[in-house]
């Protein structure tokens, strides 16, 4: 336009309001029983408080934008449009020297399921655009807690010189647990349909040779 001729362009670059207010607080405690005699033991617990901005978790949309671009992005969120929820993990591991020179190393992990909130997806009138809205805050619902036990058993054979042969058996998910790791959060015919489940029990046998 002629009335714009000679005017200088002015570009302003700024952060989205409240986009820098993401916080993660973690509380952790651990204990270790050093190896004495035949066994050792270690355990730990971690609890995390999340207050962050995101458009989705585990591939599930909760809103169209990571930050607050429209009033829809403020639905069912904390102050400033952030999502607030908690997660935790407990873990214990140890070693035991059994008779016949067998070495046993179990690992136990118990963790919270992913927090989530139900969503709705709709089409904007007179526009070729799909909008995802939170029907409730993230953290209103939670997937099942997951408990996994892994185990390793080793048999070590000493060979002449400094050589050593080790036969081992690894068993993952000893209890054959099968909780969902992810499911559909969006309301509709597929709501609550599992998308991924903990892998079944798996065993592995192997040999290692040290020289």
């Amino acid at each position: 336009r002629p009335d714009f001729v000679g005017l200088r362009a002015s570009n302003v670059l700024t952060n989205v309001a409240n986009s820098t207010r993401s916080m993660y607080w973690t509380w952790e405690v651990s204990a270790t029983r050093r190896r004495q005699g035949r066994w050792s033991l270690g355990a730990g617990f971690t609890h995390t408080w999340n207050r962050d901005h995101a458009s989705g978790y585990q591939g599930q949309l909760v809103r169209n934008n990571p930050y607050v671009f429209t009033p829809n992005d403020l639905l069912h969120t904390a102050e400033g449009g952030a999502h607030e929820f908690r997660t935790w993990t407990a873990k214990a591991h140890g070693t035991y020297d059994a008779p016949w020179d067998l070495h046993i190393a179990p690992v136990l992990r118990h963790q919270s399921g992913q927090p989530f909130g139900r969503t709705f997806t709709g089409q904007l009138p007179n526009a070729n655009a799909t909008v995802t809205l939170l029907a409730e805050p993230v953290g209103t619902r939670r997937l099942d807690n997951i408990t996994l036990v892994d185990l390793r058993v080793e048999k070590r054979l000493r060979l002449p010189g400094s050589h050593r042969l080790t036969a081992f058996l690894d068993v993952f998910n000893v209890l054959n647990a099968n909780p969902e790791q992810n499911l559909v959060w969006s309301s509709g015919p597929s709501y609550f349909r599992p998308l991924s489940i903990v892998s079944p029990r798996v065993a592995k046998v192997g040999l290692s040779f040290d020289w």
Side-chain angles (χ1 to χ4, degrees):
R1 291 171 49 181
D3 51 332
F4 287 164
V5 174
L7 295 179
R8 296 181 61 185
S10 179
N11 297 324
V12 177
L13 181 63
T14 182
N15 291 329
V16 177
N18 299 311
S19 63
T20 59
R21 295 186 178 179
S22 293
M23 294 183 293
Y24 307 89
W25 296 90
T26 298
W27 180 83
E28 184 173 354
V29 61
S30 62
T32 302
R33 195 266 191 187
R34 294 183 179 180
R35 185 183 183 88
Q36 293 182 2
R38 288 181 172 270
W39 63 279
S40 66
L41 181 66
F45 178 80
T46 301
H47 193 294
T48 301
W49 290 263
N50 286 62
R51 188 185 190 279
D52 64 355
H53 292 265
S55 59
Y57 300 94
Q58 291 191 324
Q60 302 291 309
L61 279 178
V62 296
R63 64 189 185 198
N64 283 53
N65 308 297
Y67 302 108
V68 178
F69 289 171
T70 73
N72 292 334
D73 299 330
L74 289 170
L75 290 174
H76 300 293
T77 61
E79 182 181 357
H83 307 295
E84 291 184 342
F85 56 88
R86 301 181 298 166
T87 58
W88 51 265
T89 301
K91 185 177 181 180
H93 58 89
T95 61
Y96 176 69
D97 293 338
W100 305 293
D101 200 23
L102 289 176
H103 302 270
I104 303 173
V107 178
L108 168 66
R109 186 171 77 249
H110 183 59
Q111 66 186 53
S112 60
Q114 171 67 38
F116 72 98
R118 187 170 183 167
T119 63
F120 286 99
T121 301
Q123 194 81 14
L124 284 178
N126 303 320
N128 187 22
T130 302
V131 178
T132 299
L133 306 174
L134 273 171
E136 54 195 10
V138 175
T140 303
R141 304 170 188 267
R142 184 184 294 273
L143 296 177
D144 291 340
N145 295 339
I146 299 175
T147 302
L148 295 176
V149 178
D150 299 329
L151 178 67
R152 165 168 280 211
V153 179
E154 291 184 351
K155 172 63 176 178
R156 300 171 184 173
L157 301 173
R158 296 190 179 277
L159 302 177
S162 59
H163 300 166
R164 185 174 64 183
L165 180 67
T166 302
F168 63 87
L169 169 67
D170 289 332
V171 183
F172 304 99
N173 192 8
V174 174
L175 302 179
N176 204 30
N178 62 346
E180 299 92 348
Q181 293 177 300
N182 196 9
L183 45 74
V184 177
W185 304 357
S186 179
S187 298
S190 298
Y191 179 58
F192 251 47
R193 177 172 62 85
L195 295 175
S196 63
I197 299 174
V198 173
S199 300
R201 184 189 301 118
V202 176
K204 180 177 71 174
V205 177
L207 292 171
S208 64
F209 178 66
D210 299 324
W211 69 92

